[in-house]
mmCIF file of all heavy atoms in Angstrom:
data_model
loop_
_atom_site.group_PDB
_atom_site.id
_atom_site.type_symbol
_atom_site.label_atom_id
_atom_site.label_comp_id
_atom_site.label_asym_id
_atom_site.label_seq_id
_atom_site.Cartn_x
_atom_site.Cartn_y
_atom_site.Cartn_z
ATOM 1 N N GLU A 1791 -8.927 -5.862 24.063
ATOM 2 C CA GLU A 1791 -8.657 -5.933 22.630
ATOM 3 C C GLU A 1791 -7.501 -5.020 22.236
ATOM 4 O O GLU A 1791 -6.757 -5.330 21.303
ATOM 5 C CB GLU A 1791 -9.911 -5.568 21.847
ATOM 6 C CG GLU A 1791 -9.780 -5.815 20.351
ATOM 7 C CD GLU A 1791 -11.083 -5.644 19.605
ATOM 8 O OE1 GLU A 1791 -12.095 -5.318 20.257
ATOM 9 O OE2 GLU A 1791 -11.092 -5.828 18.376
ATOM 10 N N LEU A 1886 -22.232 -35.340 21.068
ATOM 11 C CA LEU A 1886 -23.168 -34.271 21.390
ATOM 12 C C LEU A 1886 -24.575 -34.785 21.652
ATOM 13 O O LEU A 1886 -25.358 -34.131 22.348
ATOM 14 C CB LEU A 1886 -23.195 -33.243 20.249
ATOM 15 C CG LEU A 1886 -21.883 -32.498 19.976
ATOM 16 C CD1 LEU A 1886 -22.072 -31.502 18.847
ATOM 17 C CD2 LEU A 1886 -21.381 -31.797 21.228
ATOM 18 N N SER A 2016 -29.692 -48.145 30.868
ATOM 19 C CA SER A 2016 -28.395 -48.490 31.462
ATOM 20 C C SER A 2016 -27.342 -47.429 31.155
ATOM 21 O O SER A 2016 -26.468 -47.143 31.986
ATOM 22 C CB SER A 2016 -27.938 -49.855 30.942
ATOM 23 O OG SER A 2016 -27.801 -49.839 29.534
ATOM 24 N N PHE A 2088 -6.491 -11.512 72.566
ATOM 25 C CA PHE A 2088 -5.457 -10.561 72.968
ATOM 26 C C PHE A 2088 -5.113 -9.597 71.837
ATOM 27 O O PHE A 2088 -4.769 -8.441 72.088
ATOM 28 C CB PHE A 2088 -4.205 -11.309 73.437
ATOM 29 C CG PHE A 2088 -4.330 -11.869 74.822
ATOM 30 C CD1 PHE A 2088 -4.394 -13.239 75.036
ATOM 31 C CD2 PHE A 2088 -4.390 -11.021 75.917
ATOM 32 C CE1 PHE A 2088 -4.516 -13.742 76.319
ATOM 33 C CE2 PHE A 2088 -4.505 -11.528 77.209
ATOM 34 C CZ PHE A 2088 -4.573 -12.896 77.412
ATOM 35 N N HIS A 2133 -8.201 8.821 87.288
ATOM 36 C CA HIS A 2133 -8.511 10.177 87.718
ATOM 37 C C HIS A 2133 -9.521 10.133 88.863
ATOM 38 O O HIS A 2133 -10.372 9.222 88.934
ATOM 39 C CB HIS A 2133 -9.095 10.990 86.556
ATOM 40 C CG HIS A 2133 -8.172 11.092 85.384
ATOM 41 N ND1 HIS A 2133 -7.091 11.931 85.357
ATOM 42 C CD2 HIS A 2133 -8.166 10.428 84.186
ATOM 43 C CE1 HIS A 2133 -6.455 11.810 84.219
ATOM 44 N NE2 HIS A 2133 -7.094 10.888 83.484
#
Side-chain angles (χ1 to χ4, degrees):
E1791 189 172 1
L1886 297 181
S2016 60
F2088 282 111
H2133 301 283

